Amino acid sequence: MTVTLTVEELTALASAKQPNRTSAIVFLEQGLPFYGEDEKELVDFTNVLIDKLKAMTDTQYSGLNFDTAIDIIESEQEL
């Protein structure tokens, strides 16, 4: 089964910097309790991403291309 990730999902995974699929799932699941009641959209996003990670294989995860991920880290010049 081919799992397609959005740019936003790839960005979330890239910023999580997890070494493998299982670690990424655990990382995302552990963050869920910290979302506030007003962050339902982020909870839904995270749950969809977790479901996609569970549907893919370790080989698919290791083959992900993060070239389209959004660079969310500010450069030191901007600080």
Side-chain angles (χ1 to χ4, degrees):
M1 175 181 171
T2 301
V3 177
T4 304
L5 298 174
T6 66
V7 170
E8 293 80 9
E9 291 165 339
L10 284 170
T11 301
L13 289 174
S15 65
K17 297 181 182 175
Q18 296 302 303
N20 57 56
R21 184 180 66 89
T22 302
S23 295
I25 292 168
V26 170
F27 178 84
L28 293 168
E29 287 177 338
Q30 288 178 338
L32 286 172
F34 297 100
Y35 288 113
E37 290 181 21
D38 60 332
E39 297 175 300
K40 183 183 179 332
E41 194 172 305
L42 289 173
V43 171
D44 292 343
F45 169 85
T46 303
N47 281 321
V48 167
L49 181 51
I50 290 167
D51 289 343
K52 286 183 177 184
L53 289 170
K54 288 180 177 179
M56 70 173 47
T57 66
D58 291 333
T59 302
Q60 288 172 317
Y61 182 84
S62 63
L64 288 176
N65 182 346
F66 294 103
D67 288 348
T68 59
I70 301 166
D71 184 7
I72 58 172
I73 298 172
E74 296 180 36
S75 70
E76 290 185 28
Q77 294 175 350
E78 294 176 19
L79 297 176

